[in-house]
Amino acid sequence: MHKRPLPAFDKHSDQKTEFFMAASHQLKSPVAIVQWCLQSVLEDSALDPANRKMLSRALAQSNAMSSLLSDMLNVFRLMHGSETALVPVDVNHVLDQVVELYKPVAERQHVRLMVGPIETLPHVLADDAYLKQAIINLVDNAIKYSNEKGKVQIEAAYAKGRISISVADSGIGIADVDQGRLFKEFFRTEVAREKTHDGTGLGLTLVRHIAERFGGDITFTSELGKGTTFVLTLPAQK
Ligand SMILES: Nc1ncnc2c1ncn2[C@@H]1O[C@H](COP(=O)(O)OP(=O)(O)OP(=O)(O)O)[C@@H](O)[C@H]1O
Ligand SMILES: [Mg+2]
């Protein structure tokens, strides 16, 4: 089971964070304009197939850049510590939303998405967009790093004032030597990079910051070639 404290922030790194946050924010608008222009040109049915292919690639890359910028901004926001308003969040509802969102993704990848047992959970004090993002990142990974005909199982339970959400897969797994670096920004295992280019290595960094922001934590167990289970734990609202 892996859990390490997040690095402490010093003044110098806070200044760097502010700089990167401003830079990422400034980049969002031009990237959105590039996406919009490419989408508009691609709507032209008379487009030559070779050009269509090139423009589609450009659009896919600009979509990836846009989601990278959003992830970076979210990491910076969470690191920078500006307070998030905490409200009671219905975790069962968030789980339902994520499952609905990912059913078609799992189907496309020929992965069985199994849900349950899921207990009726007490609310948690959190921000529902961030909480949803954390669960999405875990389910997204579980499906992405599964093999064809693999199985992903989502469960949720409540005990001793804490709720735990587990996402288990029978996928590629994580080698022991990589396990200590998993939550580090931009880290991706070699096996994952061989499997897909789709990923920046920020998803788990975000999950960790989100969990800690709401007083919870994230742990995992994994065996290379066998599968991985992540468990997100959060305190229930008193
Ligand atoms: N369920 C999993 N099974 C195997 N490896 C995993 C799993 N989840 C995460 N990993 C490993 O941890 C790395 C970091 O995960 P993370 O979600 O941060 O990044 P990513 O999926 O590569 O990209 P993205 O930022 O788009 O989520 C992955 O690249 C992969 O090597
Ligand atoms: Mg990911």
Side-chain angles (χ1 to χ4, degrees), residues 71 136-142 144-145 188 198-205 207:
D71 281 355
I136 282 181
N137 289 358
L138 296 179
V139 175
D140 187 79
N141 283 346
K144 183 161 74 172
Y145 301 120
R188 303 193 70 213
D198 171 18
T200 54
L202 273 185
L204 285 179
T205 309
V207 176

Side-chain angles (χ1 to χ4, degrees), residues 144-181:
K144 183 161 74 172
Y145 301 120
S146 277
N147 299 312
E148 187 133 332
K149 300 215 172 82
K151 187 179 110 179
V152 168
Q153 177 119 21
I154 306 174
E155 294 178 14
Y158 171 74
K160 295 185 186 151
R162 294 178 83 76
I163 65 149
S164 51
I165 299 160
S166 82
V167 181
D169 67 67
S170 54
I172 61 174
I174 300 151
D176 287 350
V177 3
D178 291 328
Q179 293 194 4
R181 290 187 287 171

